Each structure stands twice: as structure tokens, then as C-alpha cells.
Amino acid sequence: MTTTDPSTTTRAPRGRRRLGDVLFAGGAQGSGILILAILAGVAAFLILQSFDSLAANTANFFTTSEWHANTREEPAFGVAALAFGTVLAAAIALVLATPVAIGIALFIVYYAPRRIAAVLGYLVDLLAAIPSVVYGLWGIGWLVVQLAPFYAWLETYFGWIPLFAGPVSTTGRTMLSAGIVLAVMILPIITAMTRDVFLQVPQAHREAALALGATRWEMIRMAVLPFGRPGIIGGAMLGLGRALGETMAVAMILSPSLVISWFLLQSGNQTIAAHIALQYPEATGYGVSALISAGLVLFAITLVVNMAARFVVSRRKEFA
Amino acid sequence: MSATKLSAPEQTVPPRPTPSLRGRTLPKYLPPALLGGSAVVCAAALYLLDRWNPAVWAILAAVLYTAAVTVLSAVVENRRKAVDRLVTSVVYVCFTVAMVPLVSLLWTVLSRGLVRLDGYFLSVSMNGVTPSMDAGGVYHAIVGTLLMTLMAAVISVPIGLMTAVYLVEYGRGRLRQAITFFVDVMTGIPSIVAGLFVVALWILLFGPGHTNGAAGAIALSVLMIPVVVRSCEEMLRLVPNELREASYALGVPKWLTVLKVVLPTALSGLTTGVMLALARVIGETAPLILTAGSSAVSINANLFEGQMMSLPVFIYSQVRMGGAINYERAWAGALTLIIIVMLLFLAARLVSHFFAPKTR
């Protein structure tokens, strides 16, 4: 079976242009252009609708933390705390998920018994199939209850680290809980990407390392990880993009407040996406338009992260 | 991967007392025995200290085992082997850690969801049910979810499929690169931004405050299109080029070749891809809160008029109410949703298994 690209190797027979051909090719190209138009439309409509509130805003949009937008007179709102919370939650998720995801990918590709490796990989993919609202329900209904005593323990013994300073939230509805659930949600994304590159490591490299007497870990360190590094970075950035934009888990778990706080075990902080979901039903006055401008900030952040991730991943493909 | 062991040649002379070529190794039965041993020791210690807790036990046992096997290996074997064994146990622990949320999530949803999930729950709506009343069900949400997902599929499948056809059969040059790149970027759009996009569009078209099922469906299709493009593109690339060439050789025009040869060959793969995309968007919550509303309680089968409830939003709004009975409804709704998603996955697997074209 040839896997070469049909559009460059095969040409339809030359001759007069048939009407069917013109229509079909036009339709196909039109759909492609429509997708570009939708993406441009997303940006355009968000900018257009946010203009209204940004012009009326009496506070600096980027340095203010408060959110008084549900009014027609002198709204004052800003995304400083929201943007900080978004980045903080995503950073916690990334720090927790990336090492585990690399371990899982190594396990599935190099450690698990051949026969069951595919099944185990399928189990990890199953994590990606679970809807985010169910993660939120699980987080608020089960996980935070389990985590609360752990947080108390963490504060007792590691409270001297500023991140874990008390007083600990007794409900467990903290930034760290939200970050942990986000980590579980992005785990399958990073794992899938990392596993794909690990599978592509040339067998000759691995066998050469083993033939020189390397142990399995030395083989991985010398042959697999250097080859797989762009894939790991790209996968982690894709996971980051997902964590930045994830709404429901944070909206349901975190007990929010619009402050900039580094204390992971106390309630507080809020992310852009969760703020929009929670505030939208009650938005009046400039409220909707203000939320759209917050969404625009989120869109811009995720767009940059995703484009950078795709760039890293696609650059690797050219050398592989 | 398979490091074939070279068996040492049969020795005819009695082994000499000099160190052997292979060095000392830990016996094969030792690691599992150590693991069992550390599990028992930790269980006993926790039980005696009267601080029994399964999570603490598992963590302690894993740490104890890892330390024991590493130290033993460093003493008996050598440092390099010890590092290797250390990494091996860390990698196994990583996988186990990932299984904890999966198992606990499925278990809690199943055990708590079954409390309320019955024929009554599936067949009535929340119309006239006050939040704390012991009644009400999820029928209106199922209707909404199915209708909106169906409309999203009707919008996204043609666009996505035609784009995939363009990328595989026609596209070249800059435009194709741009579309491939931006489809990838589009997969990463946060779902709430897709919802806001439709909100902004709706305000422009109909004025503020309009929510209906169609808006939700359009938001879902923004999220669904890139997934459909990706999976369909992959499937179309798998169609052997010889089939296209044979068709051209018979004088069939290109569009008929695509329509009658390429697409039918890839049909099972395309169906699978669309079903997986459906499974992905059917659980979307955030865009629907913004576009289809979060307070509908009655059955609404009209996509173009009035708020429309969906299963994910039902779960979310019940959790927001916060009472015990609301949580019961939320768990039962979550179980319903997971069952629907799993059915879609299963159907996708079955389609790709039974209707895959016979290559060779």
C-alpha cells in the first residue's frame, strides 16, 4: 500500500474542465477556506463585541483585579487576577502531569508486557473520553473530601513553604484541587503525544545502545529521550493549552475570589474560563461585553500557546 | 526492544572460582517477593499504629519497595543496575497513579449514579419540580443533548469531510499548509471561547439575550469541525493510491473518483472518526451554558425557540443547587452521560471492526 501523498504524485487526466470537477474542487476548497473564515470570525466577533465595554471601562483592563461590570454607569473591571489564576492553575496541572505522562508513555512503550500494552494504552485514552463536567462532579463530590486531610497534613509539615501556608481551607476547594483535576484531564493528551514519538525512535538507536551493554534506563536516557524531546515539549504545550481553557473542572471545584494569591491551600483565585461560566447567567449592563473581552484575552493566550506547540511538533516531523 | 539473551555455551570444564562474566544478579523471584513483603509490613505497621488508610498504605508500600529493591541491587549488583531498577519501579508507579483517578471516577459515578438511575428518571423532565423535591428526571436534557449534537453533526460533517477531501486530494501550496496549521490550532480553542463567539454573533444578528438550541449547536460545531477534519484526513490518506490510478485509467473524472472510489473505501474509517468526534462534543458544557441557557426545565424539541437543557448542563446546574437530592440527580445524570459516550465509542469500534475494507 502506498502511503505517498496522492495530490502530488497522481494527477487526474488532462482534458477539458468538467463541470462536476469544477464544482467538487470548488466545494472542497470552499470548505477549507470556510474553516479559516470561522477562525478569523471568532477573533473578529470577540474583538467587535468587547470594544463596547472596554471603551466604557474606567479601570485599567490589564492591571485591575476587581469586576464591577454589571452596570451601565462607570464599569470598572480587569483581568489581572483572572489571568494570574488561569496561568497558575495551568502551571500546577502541567508540573503534576508532565512527569507522570512521560512515565506512562515509557511504561506503555518499553516496560509493559507486549500483549497487554495496547489495552493499557487504551485505558489511558479512556481518561480523555470522560466529559469535563463529570471530572468536575467527581472533583467536588469525591476528590476534595479525600484531599482535605492531606492538605492539613501538608500545612502541618510543609507550612514553612510559602505555597503551602495556612490557614488551610477545610472544604478542600482550593487552587491545588483544581490543578490536580486539570492534571488528570491533560494527562492523556501529553501521554498520547509522547507515546507517539517514543514509538518512532529508530530501532537501530535503541539496539545500538543495548548492544553496548546499556541497561534499559541507560538506553532510554541515551537513545529515546534525546530523540523524543521535541515531542515531549510539544505534548506538554498542547496540554497547557487545554488546561488554560478548561472551564468546568475549575468552575465547580474552586471556591473563587478575585485576588492574586500564591497560597495553594487556601480558597481564592479564579480563572478566566470559570469566571465567564459563573458570571454569564447573571451578567447585565456591560457585563456580557466585559466577559467577552476576558474571553478574548483567554483566546489570545491559548492561540499563542497552541501555535507555539504546533510549531515545535511540526518542526520535528521534518527531521524525523 | 527484545534484547535477545545469548545463552552461554555449554561448559564442559568445571566452573573456575574466578568471577564469572555476567556478574551477580538478584534472583528473579526477589522483586515480587519484596513488593509483597513491603505491602504486608506497611499494612501491619499502620494497623498497629491505628492509622489505617488505604492511600497512605499504598504510598508507603511503594516507597518502601522502591528503596529496598534499589539498595539491594546496589549492594548485590552494581550502581547502574540499581538505577535501572529504581527507574523501573518509578515508571510502574506512574502508570498506577494514572489508573487511580480513572478507577475511582468510574466507581463513584457508577455506585452513586445507580441510586437514582431508573426508568422514571430517564422518562420525565424537571418541569414543576422544585430543587429539593424527590422527583424529576433527565428526559428533557437527553432530548436537548441529542438534538443539539445531531445539528452540530449535520453542520460539521459536510464541512469537515470536504476540507479533508481538499487537503488529501486537491490541496497544494500555501493554502493547504495554512489550513492544516489552523485546523490544528482550532482543535485547541477553549470551549468557552467557542460559546462566546456564538454569543457575540447572536447579539449582532438578533440582539442581546437570545438563547436557543441552534446557538448551542453552532458552538458545538466550531469545536467539532477540526476533530472531524483531522480524523477524516487520516482515513483518506490510508486509501491506496492504486485505486485512484485504476479509476483514472478507466477515464473516470476526478470528482467521480473521489465520490465513488475513495470515499466508499474509507467509509468505515470516516464513520468511526465522526462518532469519536461526536463523543467528544456530547460532553461539552461551557459553550452550552452560554448559548442554550442553563435554566430550562421542560421538554423543548424546537432548536430555534427557547432555552434548551442538555445532559452536561443538567449535571452542572444540579451541582450549583447544592442539596443532597441535587447531587443524586447530578450523579445519575453523569452516569447517563458516560453510558452514552461509551456507547458511541463502542459503536465506533464495532463499525471499524466489521466494516473495514479488506485490504489484501
Side-chain angles (χ1 to χ4, degrees):
Chain A
M1 193 158 78
T2 32
T3 49
T4 44
D5 181 4
S7 63
T8 51
T9 54
T10 324
R11 296 257 169 97
R14 292 264 158 213
R16 72 193 167 81
R17 302 274 290 162
R18 291 184 191 81
L19 184 64
D21 262 341
V22 175
L23 286 180
F24 197 72
Q29 190 165 8
S31 311
I33 293 172
L34 182 64
I35 289 186
L36 295 184
I38 292 175
L39 198 63
V42 172
F45 284 117
L46 291 184
I47 292 173
L48 208 65
Q49 290 295 328
S50 63
F51 219 71
D52 192 21
S53 63
L54 288 181
N57 193 1
T58 55
N60 187 325
F61 183 63
F62 292 106
T63 56
T64 315
S65 291
E66 56 175 345
W67 195 268
H68 298 297
N70 291 332
T71 166
R72 272 281 148 198
E73 280 123 39
E74 303 206 335
F77 57 90
V79 288
L82 293 176
F84 173 82
T86 306
V87 174
L88 181 63
I92 296 172
L94 200 63
V95 167
L96 293 177
T98 309
V100 179
I102 296 173
I104 296 172
L106 286 177
F107 176 79
I108 292 171
V109 179
Y110 297 113
Y111 285 84
R114 275 292 99 214
R115 276 157 205 249
I116 57 168
V119 180
L120 297 179
Y122 185 71
L123 281 181
V124 177
D125 288 340
L126 212 57
L127 277 174
I130 292 168
S132 58
V133 69
V134 179
Y135 274 114
L137 178 62
W138 170 73
I140 183 79
W142 187 83
L143 187 69
V144 294
V145 184
Q146 316 294 320
L147 284 175
F150 169 67
Y151 289 164
W153 177 83
L154 210 56
E155 198 256 329
T156 315
Y157 294 101
F158 294 95
W160 48 271
I161 302 174
L163 284 181
F164 300 139
V168 172
S169 154
T170 50
T171 55
R173 301 179 60 178
T174 66
M175 207 63 193
L176 190 55
S177 303
I180 290 173
V181 175
L182 286 182
V184 176
M185 296 175 75
I186 66 174
L187 200 59
I189 299 174
I190 307 180
T191 305
M193 201 82 203
T194 315
R195 193 174 59 186
D196 281 354
V197 278
F198 284 175
L199 283 171
Q200 289 169 12
V201 175
Q203 194 165 5
H205 292 192
R206 290 187 279 114
E207 283 175 354
L210 290 173
L212 289 172
T215 61
R216 187 154 50 177
W217 163 241
E218 285 163 345
M219 178 273 283
I220 287 170
R221 212 187 54 201
M222 292 187 296
V224 175
L225 290 183
F227 183 90
R229 189 170 298 129
I232 296 172
I233 297 173
M237 289 174 81
L238 286 183
L240 179 66
R242 174 85 195 274
L244 286 168
E246 179 48 46
T247 315
M248 298 323 293
V250 182
M252 289 163 84
I253 291 169
L254 188 63
S255 101
S257 66
L258 293 182
V259 292
I260 295 178
S261 155
W262 283 99
F263 306 123
L264 303 183
L265 301 184
Q266 305 175 15
S267 53
N269 284 326
Q270 176 65 309
T271 69
I272 295 180
H275 183 70
I276 296 171
L278 291 173
Q279 293 289 317
Y280 183 82
E282 285 118 47
T284 55
Y286 282 110
V288 172
S289 173
L291 290 176
I292 289 177
S293 38
L296 188 63
V297 173
L298 177 64
F299 181 59
I301 296 175
T302 49
L303 205 63
V304 169
V305 169
N306 275 307
M307 279 166 69
R310 292 296 170 186
F311 183 71
V312 172
V313 174
S314 68
R315 203 179 48 173
R316 189 192 60 79
K317 268 183 197 148
E318 284 162 22
F319 295 108
Chain B
M1 181 136 354
S2 52
T4 21
K5 269 188 213 145
L6 294 172
S7 53
E10 295 278 327
Q11 296 217 326
T12 45
V13 279
R16 284 171 297 174
T18 47
S20 77
L21 196 60
R22 295 192 51 188
R24 290 188 296 168
T25 52
L26 292 177
K28 265 204 146 168
Y29 63 82
L30 197 69
L34 267 181
L35 183 60
S38 44
V40 170
V41 167
C42 289
L46 282 174
Y47 195 75
L48 287 179
L49 290 172
D50 204 19
R51 306 195 64 170
W52 172 250
N53 179 329
V56 174
W57 168 70
I59 294 168
L60 281 184
V63 170
L64 185 64
Y65 164 75
T66 309
V69 84
T70 308
V71 168
L72 263 181
S73 169
V75 171
V76 177
E77 297 173 340
N78 55 35
R79 206 187 55 82
R80 289 172 51 216
K81 287 233 172 117
V83 173
D84 188 45
R85 285 188 191 274
L86 174 70
V87 174
T88 304
S89 23
V90 168
V91 163
Y92 272 77
V93 165
C94 278
F95 184 77
T96 321
V97 164
M99 285 303 105
V100 170
L102 182 67
V103 172
S104 95
L105 189 145
L106 291 179
W107 173 249
T108 36
V109 169
L110 198 64
S111 61
R112 298 189 191 182
L114 281 176
V115 174
R116 267 198 106 74
L117 188 67
D118 48 22
Y120 171 78
F121 184 76
L122 290 176
S123 60
V124 299
S125 74
M126 291 291 288
N127 201 0
V129 180
T130 56
S132 56
M133 197 192 278
D134 186 12
V138 79
Y139 181 72
H140 60 308
I142 296 178
V143 169
T145 287
L146 292 184
L147 280 176
M148 284 191 280
T149 317
L150 194 69
M151 182 172 167
V154 168
I155 298 171
S156 349
V157 171
I159 297 178
L161 185 57
M162 285 306 274
T163 306
V165 166
Y166 172 77
L167 290 176
V168 176
E169 307 286 337
Y170 291 96
R172 53 185 56 132
R174 280 275 175 77
L175 183 61
R176 177 179 142 181
Q177 277 179 2
I179 292 175
T180 311
F181 183 76
F182 281 108
V183 164
D184 277 339
V185 169
M186 207 168 157
T187 1
I189 288 188
S191 56
I192 192 123
V193 170
L196 280 178
F197 158 64
V198 176
V199 167
L201 183 67
W202 246 233
I203 290 178
L204 216 64
L205 293 179
F206 308 110
H210 277 268
T211 47
N212 55 25
I218 290 175
L220 290 185
S221 57
V222 170
L223 298 167
M224 190 173 168
I225 288 172
V227 186
V228 174
V229 176
R230 265 283 145 273
S231 51
C232 289
E233 189 190 347
E234 246 167 57
M235 289 306 145
L236 292 180
R237 282 198 196 285
L238 288 178
V239 175
N241 230 356
E242 286 84 346
L243 290 184
R244 296 186 182 90
E245 283 161 1
S247 173
Y248 294 150
L250 292 171
V252 182
K254 184 161 184 170
W255 70 282
L256 272 178
T257 306
V258 173
L259 215 58
K260 302 264 178 175
V261 177
V262 177
L263 290 181
T265 312
L267 188 62
S268 77
L270 298 176
T271 319
T272 310
V274 168
M275 281 177 163
L276 293 181
L278 276 178
R280 171 148 159 46
V281 296
I282 208 167
E284 284 295 349
T285 322
L288 296 182
I289 295 175
L290 269 55
T291 51
S294 54
S295 55
V297 290
S298 58
I299 302 161
N300 175 13
N302 185 352
L303 278 164
F304 299 96
E305 188 63 57
Q307 296 209 347
M308 202 172 219
M309 188 45 85
S310 57
L311 269 174
V313 178
F314 175 83
I315 299 168
Y316 170 71
S317 55
Q318 291 297 331
V319 167
R320 295 285 293 167
M321 288 172 196
I325 191 102
N326 304 109
Y327 267 93
E328 278 184 18
R329 287 198 200 109
W331 287 110
L335 183 57
T336 319
L337 183 59
I338 284 193
I339 289 174
I340 292 179
V341 171
M342 292 299 152
L343 282 179
L344 275 170
F345 264 81
L346 194 67
R349 287 248 140 186
L350 290 180
V351 166
S352 68
H353 185 254
F354 284 110
F355 298 97
K358 314 276 178 289
T359 48
R360 306 289 154 207

